Amino acid sequence: MPQVALTVNGKKVTVDVEGRTLLVELLREKLGLTGTHVGCDTSQCGACVVHLDGTSVKSCTMLALQAAGRSVITIEGLAKPDGTLHPMQEMFREHHALQCGFCTPGMVMSAIDLVQSHPEGLSEQQIRHGLEGNLCRCTGYHNIVKAIAAAWPLMHGKAMPAAAE
Amino acid sequence: MAFEGIGASVRRTEDQRFLSGRGNYTDDINRHGQLYAIIRRSDRPHARIVSIDTKAAAEMPGVVAVYTGTDLQADSVGGLPCGWLIKNKDGTPMAEPPHPVLAVGKVRHVGDPVAVVIAETRQQAKDAAEKLAIEWQDLPSISSTQDAIAPGAALVHDDVAGNVCYDWHLGDKEAVDAAFAKAARVVRLDLTNSRLIPNAMEPRAAIGDFDRATGEHTLFTTSQNPHVIRLLMGAFVLHIPESRLRVVAPDVGGGFGSKIYHYAEEAIVTWAAGKLARPVKWTAERTESFISDAHGRDHVTTAEMALDKDGNYLALRVQTLANMGAYLSTFATSIPTYLYATLLAGVYKTPAIYAEVKAVFTNTVPVDAYRGAGRPEAAYLLERLTDVIAHDTGLDRVALRRQNLIPANAFPYQTPVALQYDSGNYQATLEAALTAADWNGFPARRTAAAAKGKLRGIGISTYIEACGIAPSAVAGALGARAGLYEAANIRVHPTGSVSVFTGSHSHGQGHETTFAQLVADQLGIPFNQVEIVHGDTEKIPFGMGTYGSRSLAVGGSAMVKAMDKIIAKGKRIAAHLMEASVADIEFKNGSFSVAGTDKSKSFGEIALTAYVPHNYPIDELEPGLEENAFYDPKNFTFPAGCMVAEVEIDRDTGVPSVVSFVAVDDVGRLINPMIVEGQVHGGVAQGIGQALLESAAYDVSGQIVTGSFMDYTMPRSDDLPSFKTGNEVTLCTHNPLGVKGCGELGTIGSPPAIVNAVIDALSEYDVRHIDMPLSPQKIWSIIAAGPKRRAAE
Ligand code: FES
Ligand code: FES
């Protein structure tokens, strides 16, 4: 069986995988990181989103072997070692942006990438557009959109500029 | 510390684990030595199973067992039971054909489970399942509701004549006929209520485990009601006594009704784990969810309203054909009857109503409750019909509603369809919604939209729902095969912290927060000293679970009853300690005091005394402080409200977008307004989904054509607006909290508001009705046909 070496949440790991093993299967089944979820089999729900070298990817859509030598951050790796939550996690809690919690890990990972990649600011429409790849059946998205807008200033350390519509 | 009792928007306790990836959903659980099950399902809508050759599959690497329906039958495994018996008009019982766990002889829908392959790994089981050689003989199939009753239609079940499960009615036919005979005008509307797929984001999963040492079976499952599953599966399917069967529903990723029912896979893994003496895990892939989770709605209806010359409603006549799918799911039969026809008064004072409901079998996935269950179908019918009446008569749609509403001073109000509404103020929610939506300012917004080349429309709906089905005796008389109470156990620990064991189940509703607020408030203790335990039959008292927006109204009331017992016992202990009479002890803000004195004992001191009974009335009182209560409600609760939607349609593409949405609801007393608002948002999003996007479709050959997220349009963030919500409060008069429930109202009130808005936007095309979903294609063809379409017809 081939082996893959990668960094997950800052720790180096080497794991035996089949060629067809998906990254999400490696995380959930080999490493016990069950915070990353599987909500579909057609790459459409975003429950499985993790960061690969800082960018969000659907971990059900890539092979574990493709992550060789790269750095993966999952929802378990977001909080500081002392347990302090990432501002995005905090704002999700503050604005009641989760109900059943199943879409939440993927939603939070996508949201962080969205905010990081828009230093110029984000309008409500841009946030809604940016979340297109993540399904939530519980919240109607209203509070998720609010939480992301509230996390922007915390992550960028300044007030959000009025974004271009 | 901030106020954390009743009425505070306390941030949720459960969020910490969900946000840090430490939720514990069924598929996150792995048992030592676990095997994996893959279900081979029918890819045909209706076929005879000529033979199944399991040999090649069984010889594949890693395969431990292959079972078919015959193996289960040989082991006396029973069929999946239906929980509600409906009687026909003539008093005879409904047709109740067998629902085998794995198909025997015949398959009846795409997705019908045929065999299970169990192997060391999921991939091995998958590979082996493909090696099963099944010889089929295809049979003619029925894929649409109307086709089921066509003359000469193929039979889904050989011994169910005409595919009719039941032919049922409710109401006073003579009174309705008489009212129609003298009506100034009759308005008729034919409509369908589209078939939906619930699609909770967590796919169903189940793990069976068997302990050889104790003989105990354990099932971990994605369920909204673990005790109901234990009862149904233990008693009817696997014949395991309750004392040997534990059902655990851990964190569950959304249910919306679809996780109420007892499903075949739960029985398969529990049974197979017993046979193999190893844990067996099954997790649905989304494609399987589409063809095995119970679907919702699917009604074909004709409704007629008799009116006097001023537009007063005189009588309503309704005929509905309801699709049950291929088999009866657990509560399927009760939805188009007691949760639909009984709601046909809505918020209106229509004096006479008669409804006939025929339920039919088709070669489709079983249909059961989906968020709202019956009540959205009733509200949609009434609110579309009201707009069509306005269209046909020229009366104003808001005025028509105002004049027909049940007056605020008419409560308790007996409807002509069995229910008695205890409280409400429909005028208040209507007027508040109109104000919040700036109804009167709409013409200016329409003009502004027209200048941008958009068609803008506004729509209104009023609704009522009935939550917390009850009382048990009445439901039983109507055919329910279960009780409808809820149970609570309150365990006060020696130092005054409290564990609450509830029969309700949380799969997104935030019970760990709301219930803790309730208990902290009533016992006067800090919120963080209250723990809520649910979802494990080994821990909680026998409870009925969560559906029909019942958890707070029924489950919360059970907690209040148990707390009353705790307080009563605490008073006796306090009276002893302070040498006072029990009648003089008052309990307030967490302390027991002697009236008119400054003597008092804290809740913690009383708890400690109960467990360390040195100075204690031991002759008259047992030590300890723990109480159980079962609460059987006296009536349903009746949340109601009004929603107003505005849409804009792009003339060139026919794409509608919801530009504003207002919901003003009366859910009784609010315990956690933030959570209530979240429930409204989520329900409204699903309702907008039904109105504009979602629909489960079968082709004429019986294949499902919306079998994945690529074909079934789920609402995404950019399909929806932000919502404006508000509350008006009238208290429920018959439960101790005055609460009514809020879980389903969004899916009930929103579809007609949206459809009414789209039809209003198309007013220059004189559209009377369009069936959901209002796809761009349907809208575009109306626009393309041009104005004055009706005149030209
Ligand atoms: S699991 Fe649905 S997109 Fe990855
Ligand atoms: S919180 Fe349940 S799916 Fe998003």
Side-chain angles (χ1 to χ4, degrees), chain B residues 199-282:
Chain B
N199 276 319
M201 289 318 299
E202 177 203 25
R204 286 190 299 114
I207 306 169
D209 202 348
F210 178 67
D211 185 337
R212 269 204 245 213
T214 61
E216 189 186 76
H217 297 263
T218 302
L219 168 68
F220 298 88
T221 182
T222 48
S223 174
Q224 302 177 211
N225 29 239
H227 268 116
V228 173
I229 303 306
R230 191 184 72 170
L231 176 64
L232 295 177
M233 185 173 79
F236 298 99
V237 188
L238 298 182
H239 315 295
I240 303 170
E242 277 105 330
S243 53
R244 289 272 172 280
L245 179 56
R246 173 183 176 201
V247 177
V248 185
D251 287 329
V252 172
F256 315 114
S258 70
K259 291 171 180 169
I260 298 172
Y261 325 115
H262 177 33
Y263 284 100
E265 297 84 2
E266 295 170 324
I268 292 170
V269 296
T270 308
W271 176 82
K275 285 273 136 202
L276 303 170
R278 283 179 70 180
V280 177
K281 180 180 197 170
W282 168 82

Side-chain angles (χ1 to χ4, degrees), chain A residues 103-122:
Chain A
C103 73
T104 309
M107 208 52 100
V108 167
M109 300 312 284
S110 292
I112 291 173
D113 189 12
L114 181 65
V115 169
Q116 275 170 352
S117 56
H118 286 83
E120 77 287 4
L122 281 164

